[in-house]
Amino acid sequence: MATLKVSSLGDYIREQRESAQVSLRQLAKSAGVSNPYLSQIERGIKKPSAEILQQIARGLRISAETLYVHAGILDERHEGGGDVVAAVLADPAIGDRHKRVLVDIYESFRAEHAAKEAVAKKATRSRTRKATGPVATKPHTTTRRTSS
Amino acid sequence: MATLKVSSLGDYIREQRESAQVSLRQLAKSAGVSNPYLSQIERGIKKPSAEILQQIARGLRISAETLYVHAGILDERHEGGGDVVAAVLADPAIGDRHKRVLVDIYESFRAEHAAKEAVAKKATRSRTRKATGPVATKPHTTTRRTSS
DNA sequence: CCCAAGTGCTAACTGGAGCAAGCACTCAGC
DNA sequence: GCTGAGTGCTTGCTCCAGTTAGCACTTGGG
């Protein structure tokens, strides 16, 4: 299972913030987190908890699940509408035990289907995967004042 | 937004562990967390991160999302959590035959759950809720040995 | 009875999440 | 030029997540 992707998460948050045309302090205030901490998150220095991500998502007016995917808390396959697992978990018409059983069956079906897809793909080979690029450089550098 | 529900999460994890008939140490080992920490989580003393929940879910062979719901990381009334049948039919990750099987199983679970609800309603007469204690009753009491 | 292996837990510890105080810098109004 | 308001960041701190060492207890085999 992938480790939590801190630096790409920070880039994404800063992207969303700048796209919404709000400052770091404004987002920090609406999200209810301190602005130095938000700065550290955006720069990939700190790894926020799911609770902090929920608050940031609320401040950005996006779904928390979007940030979860970037943080590695949720797998990308579960994001968005039509998600079977989310639908099952949210369904009040069945109990927890049934939910677990249904999700297990679904996952095994998915694995079976994926295996079949892999076999089918072997017949049509010659595909290359694109490597992901590094993180963006900082917008400006700061200079510390010499002590008086 | 709900705060993270630590004690109900712990109860659920212990429930799942005991249902799977594994000891605390066995689960801790398969999950890759320390057994005292797992004990603290189950007793509601510590609040685990999403990463730890992922590991525990893997050790229990259940989906991490199930634990996320109990931890309050995911909302049970998730926006994507719409109709289960529609989600299954729309899912490209499984084949048509699997879709029909899954829908059939789901419908039978719903019918079973509905029947149980009907029975439970007949038996219920102004029930009073039992107050939950801080921790579950201990199987044994510990006394610290006086230092030599 | 003894002992090894297993159980769940306590206590002390370390590292990191998250914050408050304060910094240098920019910009606009006076 | 000065000043206030805003910006993003640094530093030091507190508190908690998560681990290690070790405890009492149970159980089964020799």
Side-chain angles (χ1 to χ4, degrees):
Chain A
M1 185 153 325
T3 55
L4 302 194
K5 297 165 283 190
V6 177
S7 62
S8 68
L9 169 69
D11 290 341
Y12 182 78
I13 290 175
R14 183 164 292 211
E15 234 175 70
Q16 295 301 301
R17 176 174 66 77
E18 289 174 342
S19 163
Q21 291 184 340
V22 298
S23 68
L24 187 132
R25 283 172 180 264
Q26 284 172 328
L27 174 56
K29 187 178 173 74
S30 62
V33 302
S34 71
N35 78 75
Y37 190 46
L38 181 57
S39 174
Q40 289 172 317
I41 293 170
E42 287 192 355
R43 288 181 286 124
I45 295 175
K46 293 277 183 166
K47 191 176 85 175
S49 66
E51 198 160 6
I52 295 291
L53 289 179
Q54 280 182 348
Q55 292 172 233
I56 292 173
R58 191 170 50 229
L60 284 171
R61 298 177 186 277
I62 62 176
S63 71
E65 287 76 17
T66 305
L67 295 187
Y68 290 164
V69 168
H70 283 82
I73 292 173
L74 278 181
D75 210 322
E76 199 152 1
R77 69 171 184 265
H78 290 326
E79 191 194 1
D83 183 52
V84 171
V85 175
V88 168
L89 295 179
D91 197 313
I94 54 177
D96 275 351
R97 186 169 60 85
H98 283 164
K99 287 177 179 178
R100 176 155 66 106
V101 170
L102 211 51
V103 168
D104 284 348
I105 295 171
Y106 167 72
E107 296 286 1
S108 69
F109 282 174
R110 284 188 76 246
E112 186 178 326
H113 185 79
K116 284 181 178 178
E117 289 282 281
V119 168
K121 268 178 182 173
K122 279 184 179 180
T124 56
R125 267 244 176 131
S126 73
R127 284 176 179 229
T128 54
R129 291 192 69 205
K130 194 165 62 175
T132 55
V135 298
T137 53
K138 288 189 283 185
H140 67 279
T141 55
T142 53
T143 311
R144 178 158 309 284
R145 175 174 69 156
T146 54
S147 62
S148 58
Chain B
M1 179 100 48
T3 56
L4 303 194
K5 299 165 280 190
V6 177
S7 64
S8 68
L9 168 69
D11 291 339
Y12 181 78
I13 290 176
R14 183 165 290 209
E15 232 176 73
Q16 297 301 303
R17 176 174 66 78
E18 290 175 343
S19 162
Q21 291 184 340
V22 298
S23 69
L24 186 129
R25 281 173 181 262
Q26 284 172 327
L27 175 56
K29 188 180 173 71
S30 62
V33 301
S34 68
N35 80 76
Y37 189 46
L38 181 57
S39 173
Q40 287 172 319
I41 293 171
E42 287 190 355
R43 288 181 285 123
I45 296 174
K46 294 276 185 168
K47 191 177 83 177
S49 67
E51 198 160 6
I52 295 293
L53 289 178
Q54 280 182 349
Q55 293 172 231
I56 292 173
R58 188 165 59 228
L60 283 169
R61 297 177 186 278
I62 64 176
S63 70
E65 287 79 14
T66 305
L67 294 186
Y68 290 163
V69 169
H70 283 80
I73 292 174
L74 278 179
D75 203 331
E76 195 148 4
R77 292 177 300 276
H78 175 31
E79 188 177 316
D83 185 35
V84 169
V85 174
V88 168
L89 296 180
D91 196 315
I94 54 176
D96 281 347
R97 191 156 54 83
H98 282 166
K99 288 177 180 178
R100 281 197 297 272
V101 169
L102 211 49
V103 167
D104 283 348
I105 296 172
Y106 167 70
E107 297 288 2
S108 70
F109 282 172
R110 282 188 64 201
E112 186 179 330
H113 185 78
K116 281 182 177 177
E117 287 283 280
V119 168
K121 270 179 180 175
K122 285 181 178 179
T124 302
R125 295 262 186 94
S126 65
R127 274 166 60 178
T128 55
R129 292 193 69 203
K130 190 165 65 175
T132 53
V135 293
T137 52
K138 291 186 280 187
H140 64 279
T141 55
T142 52
T143 310
R144 180 151 311 280
R145 176 172 71 155
T146 53
S147 61
S148 58

